[in-house]
Amino acid sequence: MQYLALWHVRHRAGGPTRQAGRHLVALRIRPRDPVHPVQGWDEAKKSWVPYAQLLLTIAAAGVAPVDQEESVRSGTTAEETRYEVERQIRSLLYQVRDRPTLLLANSGNLRSVWPGLSNGQLIKDSLVFHGERPTRLSLFGADLRVILVRDANSREETAEWYAPGAQQDDTPGVSIGLWAPQGAAPDNRVFTSTVGKPPTAGTVRTDLRKLVPTTRWPHAPAATAWNPQALELTVLGCLSERALEQARRTDRPTDRPSLLAAAVHQLRFHDEYHPLSRPLPLHLAKLAEQYLLPLAAEVPPTDGAVTGNEVEAGNPSVAQ
């Protein structure tokens, strides 16, 4: 199985970059590829390129600074942006039809340009694009699976969490695991992924209290520590019994949603990171947004300016 991760980069004119910019980052990870297991989609070349080359391509494109009035005249509307992103997503799904694929998307990041990921439009084993009826997942790929990842999204969309102790008086802490609702059916599609403290926060106590310490809670926070993030994993599409029946397939057994969710949960643990706030494919896709930065406009040489050729041929001492 290969993994396809989507991340929509959005820079506002009032943000740190001071320039508006948008870019859809698509990463394809093939763990068994011995040369370039992580590749990104280059929209200009219409091909998959190594991850490092994708970062250079994004950085080279940059966000060219333009006059504000010109930006308003040439700027795209939200409808045009949505249409372009959905077009790219359709094209990407077509590019990965050759093998089993697990699509990872962050709901909070993509639903503004892919409204079909909003909670009210989600349908099991189907994809919804704007203005169209729900489409069976198998029409985008015979072995395509889709898992939506939801985090706090700066809007408290996922709850803070803790793990109670074995006994009533035990100190609560944080735990690692994949959780399902109590009494969930075998076809349950919604899970919660939690991870423990990273090594950098190993010395932080779990019995801290921000309020006034008491005899029972004597310890107050004295250091800033990273808070592990709980993720909601929704198995939107898989090879369920109904999906295989609609596709008239009898060549394989049905998927267990809990196993797919467990695979994505395991992607939060990697040899070089302990642990990740997102599954590795989404983590790498989000890191690419750091390369979409404004580029200074090229200033044409003015009269009397000394060019590099003139320095080299006419006055070597200046170059020194």
Side-chain angles (χ1 to χ4, degrees), residues 34-252:
V35 182
H36 296 294
V38 182
Q39 295 185 336
W41 179 255
D42 190 325
E43 183 65 19
K45 295 181 179 179
K46 302 296 182 182
S47 64
W48 296 99
V49 298
Y51 182 60
Q53 184 177 340
L54 175 70
L55 299 180
L56 294 176
T57 302
I58 295 175
V63 182
V66 297
D67 181 75
Q68 185 174 2
E69 295 183 0
E70 181 183 349
S71 177
V72 172
R73 290 194 301 269
S74 62
T76 57
T77 65
E79 187 73 10
E80 292 171 335
T81 301
R82 178 203 55 74
Y83 174 82
E84 178 61 20
V85 170
E86 288 190 344
R87 182 199 64 78
Q88 292 183 41
I89 293 174
R90 291 173 183 270
S91 175
L92 289 166
L93 292 178
Y94 179 80
Q95 298 295 332
V96 296
R97 293 170 63 95
D98 60 327
R99 67 180 63 191
T101 302
L102 177 58
L103 171 63
L104 292 172
N106 184 290
S107 299
N109 172 258
L110 271 177
R111 63 186 171 215
S112 62
V113 291
W114 189 2
L117 297 186
S118 302
N119 290 344
Q121 299 192 41
L122 297 180
I123 299 177
K124 279 185 179 181
D125 305 324
S126 299
L127 291 181
V128 178
F129 289 96
H130 183 72
E132 300 181 8
R133 299 180 61 182
T135 306
R136 267 198 339 258
L137 198 65
S138 58
L139 297 181
F140 296 95
D143 294 312
L144 177 64
R145 286 90 163 174
V146 179
I147 291 187
L148 301 182
V149 179
R150 185 163 68 159
D151 53 29
N153 195 30
S154 302
R155 297 166 54 181
E156 305 298 335
E157 293 192 25
T158 56
E160 296 181 357
W161 59 278
Y162 68 95
Q167 303 296 329
Q168 183 176 1
D169 295 335
D170 290 346
T171 301
V174 292
S175 62
I176 303 174
L178 181 70
W179 312 90
Q182 188 172 4
D187 193 41
N188 169 64
R189 299 294 186 95
V190 182
F191 303 86
T192 298
S193 167
T194 61
V195 295
K197 295 186 299 182
T200 55
T203 58
V204 178
R205 302 176 62 102
T206 58
D207 56 345
L208 301 180
R209 182 176 178 177
K210 292 183 179 180
L211 302 179
V212 178
T214 63
T215 304
R216 186 176 180 183
W217 296 90
H219 305 290
T224 301
W226 178 75
N227 186 28
Q229 183 170 233
L231 296 182
E232 180 185 279
L233 306 180
T234 301
V235 184
L236 176 61
C238 65
L239 301 184
S240 63
E241 182 177 356
R242 183 169 179 269
L244 291 176
E245 181 181 352
Q246 289 178 340
R248 299 180 181 180
R249 294 184 60 184
T250 58
D251 58 333
R252 59 159 296 114

Side-chain angles (χ1 to χ4, degrees), residues 22-37:
R22 293 178 179 269
H23 189 87
L24 180 65
V25 178
L27 288 189
R28 185 188 69 182
I29 297 184
R30 293 179 171 177
R32 295 187 178 183
D33 190 332
V35 182
H36 296 294

